[in-house]
Amino acid sequence: MKERLSIGVDIGGTSIKLAVVDSRGNIVHKWNIRTDTSEKGRNISSDINATITETINQLNMSPSDIEGIGIGVPGFINIESGFIYGAINIGWENYPLKDDLEARSGYPVMIDNDANLAALGEMWKGAGNQVSNLICITLGTGIGGGIILNGQILHGVNGMAGEIGHITSIMENGAPCNCGKTGCLETIASATGISRIAAEGIDCNPDSALSKVLKENGQITSEDVFTATNQGDEWANEVIRYISKHLGIAIANMSNVLNPSRIVIGGGVSRAGDQLMTPLKEVFSRFALPRVSQGAEFAVASLGNDAGVIGAARLIEIQSFER
Amino acid sequence: MKERLSIGVDIGGTSIKLAVVDSRGNIVHKWNIRTDTSEKGRNISSDINATITETINQLNMSPSDIEGIGIGVPGFINIESGFIYGAINIGWENYPLKDDLEARSGYPVMIDNDANLAALGEMWKGAGNQVSNLICITLGTGIGGGIILNGQILHGVNGMAGEIGHITSIMENGAPCNCGKTGCLETIASATGISRIAAEGIDCNPDSALSKVLKENGQITSEDVFTATNQGDEWANEVIRYISKHLGIAIANMSNVLNPSRIVIGGGVSRAGDQLMTPLKEVFSRFALPRVSQGAEFAVASLGNDAGVIGAARLIEIQSFER
């Protein structure tokens, strides 16, 4: 029997990641192209179609070896119609991506939010380990969230489910968030939030190693904070305790409502490993109900940048399986 | 064709509510019996079986008219096996309710948590209006929660999903909660929480009408607070603003994660109607993302005490439909 293959696509503001993925979730081949955000992103669909056709040729595959194309998009999507209401970083507004790419390519196309597909990818082949109830939190420039319940992505009534970054963590006088609110978790526990908090407190902590970093580099990155923690820096430790507390309470509150079996932490900030995970788990177990805490296991995302394309391919794999 | 009927049972610490419910969710007949919590609740199952048999006779029904028995229990349950891990107010601990009652009655028995079944009842015949994504919050002595996603009750990995009352709303120095934590939403927005907050602030608000209530009755009930609000009492208004803020932020945070189409507020406190709902919706729309807020409609629970038995009967109706 011939191997079923799918194409997974993960569209970002700078580059588009693509992969040929087999039916067990293994990447057969992966590559990148540049995201052409000019003219409101109108060339992206033809770019994707062209690079897929070219790559299938290069790999000596037949077009019929491919079952379909799954795509992750950072934006608001009508999942059923594959219509993009808006994807600011890409330039799309009211754009019928699924219809357009299906017409060009002749393949079935399935589209979902990129954070949801990262969760689906981790569930299928990564730290999610195939559990059917998981929360996946990506701590990067912003905070992305994907929720899988009963093995399915939770979309909610209009595709907004999983907006974990916009949980309000500071009720009054929180920092302004890109969403227009203040005090969102994203303003605290994202890489950007950690940088801001570390820099804002530096005047009161002039002896911190981070003070020197700020003077030399004009900024403190989240990696700088974790490095300083490693070296026993008191202010860096305090920053980590602070962000762990806000993140841990938010995860505990969500878990008291969702009762997940696994909580996967990904994104650049997750590379801090135990420096983040140890205080985070402590806060979580203090604020989650005992049975909720017992039922939930933490894991660091293991697929890195591949989570998106693997999750995108999974959309097609699920469809094929159901046919 | 003969009408399909089910029995819905809602077990509380004081009384057991029962109803014969038709396949469209209408109550054909309802009645109560006392909950015999003696001997760790060991007589309850036979009491339920006896009263059902007796009622079927009285109504001149044939036992074969009944499809099965659905039961709501205030406790921790293994949904699939119908095994009660613990139901403190009833006395049950490690009790195989489903197996026991199926053996006694000969009917299929389905069991779920009472808050979940209130949500299911409201979705079927009440304020949930058959939407497939809803959050149901019961503000009574405590706070109960039931979540329906894609038309199904969310149970989570070990039956703990929906514990909305134990969302931490005050991070430090919150009031102690029955669960062992502090600062839970239940300590603020339950009837008990409202009473406590109103009484604790009375020394600083000696001119409030509630001050007189406290002196005369030795306590302030949540109804007293809403009555005083009606009369323009400033302290009572402040209490309502305070609890609306905590409740509204908790619901907004949940909604940013779940993106529900309807939020149903039930329980004794919900009888305050617009006095609670108006400030609550204001806070919600401030803290929910705009698209989340647009997608969600608030409603006051409409089935009152019948929600539980109707939801319990729904368990059987769903099963019958799937057979």
Side-chain angles (χ1 to χ4, degrees):
Chain A
M1 196 181 119
K2 197 138 196 202
E3 175 73 274
R4 279 202 318 275
L5 299 171
S6 308
I7 306 284
V9 182
D10 185 4
I11 304 183
T14 312
S15 73
I16 299 171
K17 300 182 188 76
L18 299 102
V20 179
V21 179
D22 73 17
S23 62
R24 293 176 307 283
N26 299 312
I27 291 182
V28 174
H29 179 75
K30 66 178 174 177
W31 74 105
N32 289 286
I33 61 170
R34 192 180 63 84
T35 310
D36 178 2
T37 55
S38 68
E39 297 178 65
K40 291 195 166 190
R42 66 185 299 176
N43 304 314
I44 293 176
S45 176
S46 64
D47 289 352
I48 290 174
N49 186 48
T51 192
I52 289 174
T53 307
E54 194 189 322
T55 304
I56 289 174
N57 279 333
Q58 282 173 359
L59 296 174
N60 290 320
M61 288 174 174
S62 152
S64 66
D65 293 342
I66 305 296
E67 297 269 327
I69 305 171
I71 308 187
V73 175
F76 301 130
I77 301 151
N78 183 317
I79 305 299
E80 268 142 51
S81 66
F83 183 87
I84 315 290
Y85 296 116
I88 296 175
N89 296 333
I90 312 299
W92 285 331
E93 219 184 302
N94 296 322
Y95 182 67
L97 176 60
K98 177 186 164 85
D99 290 348
D100 186 280
L101 188 56
E102 283 187 343
R104 285 179 200 277
S105 70
Y107 291 117
V109 172
M110 303 274 293
I111 300 176
D112 208 319
N113 177 280
D114 59 346
N116 290 341
L117 294 185
L120 194 62
E122 288 289 345
M123 181 185 91
W124 194 20
K125 290 299 286 186
N129 199 23
Q130 312 207 355
V131 301
S132 56
N133 293 288
L134 86 89
I135 299 174
C136 186
I137 304 172
T138 306
L139 305 172
T141 312
I143 293 185
I147 295 171
I148 312 266
L149 296 174
N150 299 330
Q152 295 183 314
I153 296 171
L154 178 70
H155 290 113
V157 67
N158 54 12
M160 292 292 288
E163 288 290 348
I164 294 167
H166 302 290
I167 289 176
T168 299
S169 199
I170 298 178
M171 289 192 193
E172 301 288 353
N173 304 317
C177 183
N178 288 331
C179 74
K181 302 195 297 148
T182 61
C184 291
L185 186 61
E186 182 164 301
T187 66
I188 302 165
S190 64
T192 324
I194 298 171
S195 297
R196 180 186 61 77
I197 292 162
E200 282 182 3
I202 212 71
D203 285 350
C204 303
N205 296 277
D207 299 337
S208 163
L210 294 174
S211 178
K212 210 177 137 199
V213 170
L214 182 60
K215 266 177 212 135
E216 282 173 9
N217 306 340
Q219 63 167 346
I220 300 167
T221 66
S222 58
E223 280 183 29
D224 293 332
V225 177
F226 287 107
T227 305
T229 312
N230 237 347
Q231 293 155 357
D233 187 87
E234 195 36 57
W235 170 235
N237 274 317
E238 200 176 316
V239 172
I240 300 304
R241 276 196 300 273
Y242 180 80
I243 71 125
S244 300
K245 182 171 161 193
H246 282 275
L247 184 59
I249 290 178
I251 297 174
N253 283 345
M254 257 192 298
S255 299
N256 287 337
V257 174
L258 298 177
N259 189 204
S261 56
R262 189 155 303 204
I263 296 152
V264 177
I265 310 287
V269 175
S270 72
R271 287 199 293 268
D274 285 346
Q275 281 179 279
L276 174 68
M277 298 302 273
T278 304
L280 186 60
K281 284 187 223 172
E282 274 171 27
V283 174
F284 174 80
S285 61
R286 191 174 136 214
F287 288 94
L289 289 168
R291 275 177 60 85
V292 169
S293 176
Q294 284 153 26
E297 201 178 346
F298 275 79
V300 174
S302 65
L303 300 180
N305 286 331
D306 292 340
V309 291
I310 292 175
R314 179 65 176 163
L315 284 182
I316 300 298
E317 174 60 23
I318 293 169
Q319 282 286 100
S320 306
F321 188 76
E322 284 174 354
R323 268 203 306 267
Chain B
M1 197 180 119
K2 198 138 197 203
E3 175 73 274
R4 282 202 317 273
L5 299 170
S6 307
I7 306 280
V9 182
D10 185 6
I11 304 182
T14 312
S15 74
I16 299 171
K17 301 181 189 73
L18 301 101
V20 179
V21 179
D22 73 17
S23 62
R24 293 176 308 283
N26 300 311
I27 291 181
V28 174
H29 180 77
K30 65 178 177 178
W31 75 106
N32 288 287
I33 62 170
R34 193 180 62 84
T35 310
D36 178 1
T37 54
S38 70
E39 297 178 70
K40 294 197 165 190
R42 67 184 300 174
N43 304 314
I44 293 176
S45 176
S46 65
D47 288 352
I48 290 174
N49 186 47
T51 192
I52 289 174
T53 307
E54 194 188 321
T55 304
I56 290 173
N57 279 333
Q58 282 174 358
L59 297 174
N60 290 319
M61 288 173 174
S62 150
S64 67
D65 294 342
I66 305 294
E67 296 270 326
I69 305 171
I71 307 186
V73 175
F76 300 129
I77 303 151
N78 182 320
I79 305 299
E80 269 141 51
S81 66
F83 183 88
I84 316 289
Y85 296 117
I88 294 174
N89 296 333
I90 312 299
W92 285 331
E93 220 185 304
N94 295 323
Y95 181 67
L97 177 58
K98 177 185 164 85
D99 289 349
D100 186 280
L101 188 55
E102 283 188 343
R104 284 179 200 278
S105 70
Y107 291 117
V109 173
M110 303 274 293
I111 300 174
D112 208 319
N113 176 279
D114 58 347
N116 289 342
L117 294 185
L120 194 62
E122 288 288 345
M123 181 185 91
W124 194 21
K125 292 298 286 185
N129 198 24
Q130 311 209 355
V131 301
S132 56
N133 292 287
L134 86 91
I135 299 174
C136 188
I137 304 173
T138 306
L139 305 172
T141 312
I143 293 186
I147 294 171
I148 313 267
L149 296 174
N150 299 329
Q152 296 184 315
I153 296 171
L154 178 70
H155 290 111
V157 66
N158 54 13
M160 292 293 287
E163 288 290 351
I164 294 168
H166 301 291
I167 288 176
T168 299
S169 199
I170 297 177
M171 289 192 194
E172 300 289 354
N173 304 317
C177 183
N178 289 332
C179 75
K181 301 196 296 148
T182 62
C184 291
L185 187 61
E186 182 164 300
T187 67
I188 302 166
S190 65
T192 324
I194 298 171
S195 298
R196 178 186 61 77
I197 292 163
E200 282 182 2
I202 213 70
D203 286 349
C204 304
N205 296 277
D207 298 336
S208 165
L210 294 174
S211 178
K212 209 176 136 196
V213 171
L214 183 61
K215 266 175 212 137
E216 282 174 8
N217 306 341
Q219 62 166 346
I220 301 168
T221 67
S222 57
E223 280 182 28
D224 293 331
V225 177
F226 286 107
T227 304
T229 311
N230 238 345
Q231 294 155 357
D233 188 87
E234 195 36 54
W235 169 235
N237 275 317
E238 200 176 317
V239 172
I240 300 305
R241 276 197 300 274
Y242 180 80
I243 71 124
S244 300
K245 183 171 160 192
H246 281 276
L247 184 57
I249 291 179
I251 297 174
N253 283 345
M254 255 192 300
S255 298
N256 286 338
V257 173
L258 297 178
N259 189 203
S261 55
R262 189 154 302 205
I263 296 152
V264 177
I265 310 287
V269 175
S270 72
R271 287 200 291 270
D274 285 346
Q275 281 179 280
L276 174 68
M277 296 303 271
T278 303
L280 186 59
K281 285 186 223 173
E282 276 171 24
V283 174
F284 174 78
S285 60
R286 193 175 135 213
F287 289 95
L289 289 169
R291 276 175 62 84
V292 169
S293 177
Q294 285 152 26
E297 201 177 349
F298 275 79
V300 174
S302 65
L303 299 179
N305 286 333
D306 292 341
V309 291
I310 292 175
R314 179 67 176 160
L315 283 182
I316 300 299
E317 173 60 21
I318 294 169
Q319 282 287 97
S320 305
F321 188 76
E322 283 174 353
R323 267 203 307 266

